[in-house]
Amino acid sequence: MPTPEDLSPLAEDMTAWRRDFHRHPELGFEEARTAGIVADLLRQWGITVEAGIGVTGVVGTLTGSRGSSGGNRAIGLRADMDALAMPEMTGAAYASTVPNTMHACGHDGHTATLLGAARWLAANRDRFGGTVHFIFQPAEESLGGAARMVKEGLFDRFPVDAVYGMHNLPGLPVGTIAVPKGAVLASSDTWEVTFRGAGVHGARPHLGTDAPLAAAQFIAALPMIVAREIDPLQAAVLSVGHMAAGARRAPNVIPSEVFLCGTARAFNEAVRSHLEARLVEVANGIAATCRVQAEPRYIRRISPTINRAEQAAVAVRAARSAVGDAMTLDDHPPLTPGEDFSEFLAARPGAYVWLGTGDPAHPEGFHHNPHFDFNDAALPHGAAFWCALVEQELA
């Protein structure tokens, strides 16, 4: 099985690709430059390419030449390409040249890692049989890129028996591959509640109905749902992210309307559904108590990312072959961010793994932070894992 040492001759190129993508970040469904470079490189290596799947998505297809009983088997490997709408503060020589846009989650590294694996596998296709589809996905950051690709027939056009994803994880030793058992990442949903009352002079509250008071009671009740209705061995999050009411220059007016919105997270569908139902019930109940109207809305966005046991076991074996037992973790605690790779797992069996990138260079340099930067030292490890996984699945 290939190791990071086998992939090290490509480290310089992977680093150059990664830093170029970092210098020229593109937001979701706008990754035209990135997708063009990806497609051109894949074609140079003799890989069949189809572009424009899910607006800017790219799929490269490579069939091994090694005869085997699994020669008709196919797998998908996914990397996301989009950046975030935020300014960069890394001070790196290759820092973003696009205002208020940066690769603050490491998708530049994911793309470069999968490109390195594709190049190595194209030059060593005699080491596996069957087919591998390299899936370069747009718009992972909350815009539904995975769902768009699936809706446009990704797995009908490129059938796979299993699909795999990888994401960098700062804080995990460089080059470590961690494969969670079961839940990997939480669902990521948005909720909104508008409370409407009868606005009135703040000195005469008895003449109106108090929407801000209802909103305050609702905010205070949210932790109760999690703390007293969810099994302590489970996990859930209900957080308020935005409030809007009244006018700063009119503190003597009780406003007639308050708008709240926030996020909800869960690791399974039962808890997710409970949060949805109870948020609506609590909003309506408090509104009735306060004699105002409530308009709650729960928007399901991203399902929980949950590994299948069979594919997780395959990923662990591939990791041990690539980076060794000491740098392989056969489990990892679930994390509460969301990831739309769950859309792929809803359509096909698969697994999602973490690639350790070590301690960040800056104390605040974790995901979605202006100081974040992908650690290029992890590139050969991630690419070696991908290559070992292909040989493992398509032996």
Side-chain angles (χ1 to χ4, degrees), residues 17-18 20-21 26 31-52 56-61 77 79-82 103 107-108 110-116 118-119 134-138:
W17 299 329
R18 203 281 296 182
D20 178 70
F21 296 142
E26 297 172 298
E31 308 93 337
R33 180 183 184 275
T34 304
I37 292 171
V38 166
D40 287 345
L41 288 172
L42 294 176
R43 291 189 182 101
Q44 288 177 29
W45 305 327
I47 297 172
T48 302
V49 173
E50 289 198 39
T56 48
V58 176
V59 177
T61 300
L77 311 180
D80 37 17
M81 301 186 293
D82 56 323
H103 272 292
H107 298 185
D108 50 347
H110 303 164
T111 301
T113 299
L114 189 55
L115 282 172
R119 182 173 176 179
F134 305 101
I135 304 168
F136 293 88
Q137 180 203 314

Side-chain angles (χ1 to χ4, degrees), residues 19 34 109 152 157 163 171 190 207 220 231 272 278 328 338 343:
R19 295 185 177 187
T34 304
E152 292 187 10
R157 298 165 63 180
V163 62
T190 299
L207 299 180
D231 185 335
R272 186 187 194 189
R278 289 295 289 144
T328 298
E343 296 289 339

Side-chain angles (χ1 to χ4, degrees), residues 257-272:
E257 182 173 304
V258 180
F259 175 79
L260 306 173
C261 64
T263 190
R265 307 292 168 113
F267 289 116
N268 64 60
E269 288 297 333
V271 172
R272 186 187 194 189

Side-chain angles (χ1 to χ4, degrees), residues 152-372:
E152 292 187 10
L154 174 66
F155 295 126
D156 297 322
R157 298 165 63 180
F158 310 96
V160 299
D161 297 287
V163 62
Y164 295 89
M166 176 196 293
H167 202 290
N168 73 91
L169 188 60
L172 200 63
V174 176
T176 299
I177 301 293
V179 187
K181 293 178 179 176
V184 183
L185 291 156
S187 57
S188 179
D189 297 330
T190 299
W191 59 264
E192 301 174 353
V193 181
T194 300
F195 290 100
R196 291 192 174 90
V200 69
H201 196 299
R204 312 184 76 190
H206 61 291
L207 299 180
T209 53
D210 201 324
L213 179 62
Q217 292 188 36
F218 175 77
I219 292 172
L222 289 182
M224 175 195 70
I225 299 175
V226 174
R228 288 295 176 263
E229 299 183 16
I230 303 300
D231 185 335
L233 299 180
Q234 299 287 344
V237 175
L238 283 173
S239 295
V240 180
H242 175 69
M243 299 184 287
R248 293 184 65 179
R249 295 188 177 183
N252 61 341
V253 176
I254 296 175
S256 61
E257 182 173 304
V258 180
F259 175 79
L260 306 173
C261 64
T263 190
R265 307 292 168 113
F267 289 116
N268 64 60
E269 288 297 333
V271 172
R272 186 187 194 189
S273 295
H274 186 84
L275 295 180
E276 178 178 9
R278 289 295 289 144
L279 186 139
V280 171
E281 291 171 357
V282 169
N284 287 329
I286 289 174
T289 300
C290 295
R291 299 181 299 125
V292 300
Q293 299 295 315
E295 293 182 8
R297 182 172 174 238
Y298 192 98
I299 306 100
R300 290 191 171 222
R301 295 174 50 253
I302 300 173
S303 298
T305 301
I306 301 174
N307 280 350
R308 298 280 189 95
E310 180 180 348
Q311 283 70 40
V314 171
V316 168
R317 291 196 297 271
R320 287 173 174 157
S321 298
V323 300
D325 291 347
M327 297 182 68
T328 298
L329 300 178
D330 67 355
D331 199 5
H332 191 278
L335 303 177
T336 49
E339 158 67 91
D340 75 351
F341 185 74
S342 58
E343 296 289 339
F344 291 163
L345 293 180
R348 294 294 184 274
Y352 187 91
V353 310
W354 296 114
L355 169 65
T357 53
D359 292 327
H362 191 281
E364 295 146 358
F366 288 89
H367 299 140
H368 293 219
N369 185 284
H371 296 283
F372 176 87

